[in-house]
Amino acid sequence: MAETASQQPPATTRSGGPSRSVLVTGGNRGIGLAIARRLSEDGHRVAVTHRSSGAPEGLFGVQCDVTDSAAVARAFAEIEEHQGPVEVLVANAGTTDDTLLMRMSEEQFEKVLDANLTGSFRVAKAACRSMLRKRFGRFIFLGSAVATMGTPGQINYASSKAGLIGMARSLTRELGTRSITANVVAPGFIDTDMTAALPDEYREQVTKIIPAGRTGSAEEVAAVVSWLASEDSAYVSGAVIPVDGGLGMGH
Ligand code: NDP
């Protein structure tokens, strides 16, 4: 006799937990893509945003610039239709526009804040209603070691990433009783397009002060996000988890 949908066991991940509806913003390349692939391999239903590149093979893509509230609303509607309301949100989309304070225009400051901090606010707001209804949710924000260490030339970027810590901790206090957690993953120097743009001299200098003696990979960040998305992390919230080879230790 053919099994009906209601007779089928619910889909589970490879660790035995339920398969969740996941959104990774900026999941079309770099750290976001590694996270999307890892969560998909774990057994979750994964959607990614892309701005113009199209979605990577095997992942459900929605076109969305996180600086555009209407595009965010459209993306969430498409995802809900395709795989159910977002239960795990990975706010990964991020950008830089580096220069020293003396040369940084207000526009350069605001542009980075708008993508990294307000963009994360936009997607968090879009996700929270269904998480509340479901009484389950995971907010995972991609911060940075520089949020707490500071770095010359990145006042806009470091400020945006520091803001995410306040966002995750406030969310934890607002929504913690509903089995909703909010955490920040703080990568150090990870090999992606973002860091490829930095001069070799800078990379050599940074590598010297990383206790692990090397830069990190996007897959190493994805492994931590995989755990945060799982049932095993249920009692961890408001945390800033470094993935930096020890670079930010003590900050
Ligand atoms: P990349 O520059 O390689 O990729 C950035 C991603 O963000 C792309 O998918 C890009 O989309 C997307 N993005 C940027 N702006 C927007 C926007 N306005 N709307 C939607 N998507 C956007 O960066 P990484 O993979 O290196 O970084 C990923 C995250 O990790 C970022 O938040 C970054 O700040 C953080 N991080 C990275 C570190 C590193 O060493 N690499 C260290 C610490 C933190 P598109 O393809 O359309 O441009």
Side-chain angles (χ1 to χ4, degrees), residues 129-140:
R129 199 176 296 273
S130 59
M131 287 185 186
L132 276 168
R133 234 182 279 125
K134 189 139 204 173
R135 293 191 164 255
F136 175 88
R138 296 275 191 274
F139 291 101
I140 303 165

Side-chain angles (χ1 to χ4, degrees), residues 19-247:
S19 169
R20 302 289 185 186
S21 169
V22 177
L23 169 62
V24 184
T25 65
N28 56 315
R29 61 189 173 97
I31 293 173
L33 178 57
I35 292 170
R37 292 236 183 276
R38 172 64 195 256
L39 294 181
S40 179
E41 283 160 23
D42 285 350
H44 296 295
R45 291 143 15 238
V46 182
V48 297
T49 69
H50 62 91
R51 285 188 292 181
S52 54
S53 64
E57 214 187 315
L59 294 167
F60 178 68
V62 287
Q63 194 165 16
C64 175
D65 186 321
V66 297
T67 62
D68 177 347
S69 304
V72 168
R74 277 196 303 275
F76 272 77
E78 275 180 56
I79 294 164
E80 180 158 348
E81 166 103 20
H82 178 259
Q83 61 186 39
V86 173
E87 298 167 281
V88 176
L89 171 67
V90 185
N92 163 85
T95 191
T96 53
D97 193 353
D98 300 352
T99 192
L100 297 171
L101 175 62
M102 292 236 295
R103 294 197 203 111
M104 189 179 288
S105 66
E106 199 169 317
E107 193 197 351
Q108 274 174 299
F109 184 83
E110 284 179 349
K111 192 181 84 184
V112 171
L113 267 284
D114 192 27
N116 298 2
L117 184 60
T118 316
S120 296
F121 162 79
R122 289 186 187 99
V123 291
K125 190 170 161 68
C128 79
R129 199 176 296 273
S130 59
M131 287 185 186
L132 276 168
R133 234 182 279 125
K134 189 139 204 173
R135 293 191 164 255
F136 175 88
R138 296 275 191 274
F139 291 101
I140 303 165
F141 298 101
L142 267 290
S144 169
V146 306
T148 45
M149 294 175 70
T151 189
Q154 290 199 310
I155 281 175
N156 47 4
Y157 181 77
S159 303
S160 71
K161 296 298 185 180
L164 293 175
I165 300 173
M167 194 179 292
R169 292 185 170 165
S170 300
L171 270 172
T172 292
R173 294 199 188 277
E174 283 191 20
L175 308 175
T177 57
R178 318 289 177 91
S179 302
I180 295 171
T181 66
N183 292 287
V184 174
V185 172
F189 197 114
I190 308 297
D191 291 310
T192 66
D193 295 345
M194 188 178 269
T195 44
L198 297 166
D200 287 348
E201 204 178 83
Y202 178 80
R203 165 190 291 269
E204 281 161 27
Q205 275 173 11
V206 175
T207 307
K208 278 190 198 140
I209 59 163
I210 300 172
R214 64 172 179 87
T215 55
S217 72
E219 287 70 27
E220 288 173 310
V221 180
V224 175
V225 174
S226 161
W227 175 74
L228 278 175
S230 77
E231 308 306 297
D232 290 344
S233 70
Y235 204 52
V236 176
S237 198
V240 180
I241 303 180
V243 188
D244 63 0
L247 175 66

